[in-house]
Amino acid sequence: MRVPGAGKTTVACATARRLGVPFLTRDEIKAGLGLSSASVAKDGGVQLDPDFHIAGGPLSLRAEAVMADAARLLASSGVSFVVESSVLSHQLLDALLACDARVLAVHVVAREPVIDERPRARAAEGGAVDRQLSSQFQRGEMKRSIFDPPGGADAVVEVDTSDEGDPDIDPIEAAVVALIQ
């Protein structure tokens, strides 16, 4: 699952729901880690650690490690699950392969104007990470190629989310069935 704004979280959540399996997402793990290290702000609200909004920062790296550990635990217990991540890191893939897990990578894509608009819309709603990622892409500091499907997966399915509405999960479900036969 790939480029910010492609629809990876929507596809992953819908897939987990359809298959009736647990859903791991680094963003949720990062939010939990951020809240566990938060403090009370002067206005009485929650004050997150300043590193929280840094894409690729210490908290993001810690969340990636926690997600890999959770995935390893589930896979070694024989539990099927869906994991959502922008980049299928070597750390996560190695953890899954070490447990002899079968890995289906879902490459979520959308047309460029759609991908450009989604993070911009979330940034307008206050998404600090979305603003940071959008500006990194615009400045050429981050290449979309880092989100290409990884080597090492048993199968790769591409899903296009350019059209609004519920994503088409049928090709993913068919690939899962093919993997477990």
Side-chain angles (χ1 to χ4, degrees), residues 53-124:
H53 295 294
I54 300 173
L59 199 56
S60 291
L61 295 175
R62 190 164 154 223
E64 182 72 25
V66 169
M67 188 172 69
D69 288 344
R72 182 182 305 108
L73 177 64
L74 289 170
S76 66
S77 299
V79 176
S80 295
F81 58 95
V82 172
V83 62
E84 177 270 326
S85 184
S86 295
V87 178
L88 185 53
S89 71
H90 289 292
Q91 181 181 14
L92 178 57
L93 187 58
D94 291 347
L96 295 173
L97 296 177
C99 300
D100 293 323
R102 288 172 284 185
V103 177
L104 170 65
V106 178
H107 187 216
V108 180
V109 299
R111 292 185 305 273
E112 285 294 321
V114 173
I115 287 175
D116 291 341
E117 179 53 33
R118 288 175 181 163
R120 197 176 0 257
R122 290 194 303 248

Side-chain angles (χ1 to χ4, degrees), residues 1-6 8-9 24-27 55 64 67 83-89 92 106-108 122 129-130 133 137 142 144-150:
M1 312 226 181
R2 306 293 170 234
V3 179
K8 66 187 179 308
T9 303
L24 292 176
T25 173
R26 189 185 66 183
D27 289 346
E64 182 72 25
M67 188 172 69
V83 62
E84 177 270 326
S85 184
S86 295
V87 178
L88 185 53
S89 71
L92 178 57
V106 178
H107 187 216
V108 180
R122 290 194 303 248
V129 171
D130 290 309
L133 289 172
F137 279 116
M142 190 177 290
R144 294 196 191 280
S145 61
I146 70 164
F147 300 107
D148 288 345

Side-chain angles (χ1 to χ4, degrees), residues 143-167:
K143 303 294 181 203
R144 294 196 191 280
S145 61
I146 70 164
F147 300 107
D148 288 345
D154 294 298
V156 177
V157 173
E158 187 168 285
V159 175
D160 190 324
T161 63
S162 296
D163 297 327
E164 294 300 321
D166 293 334

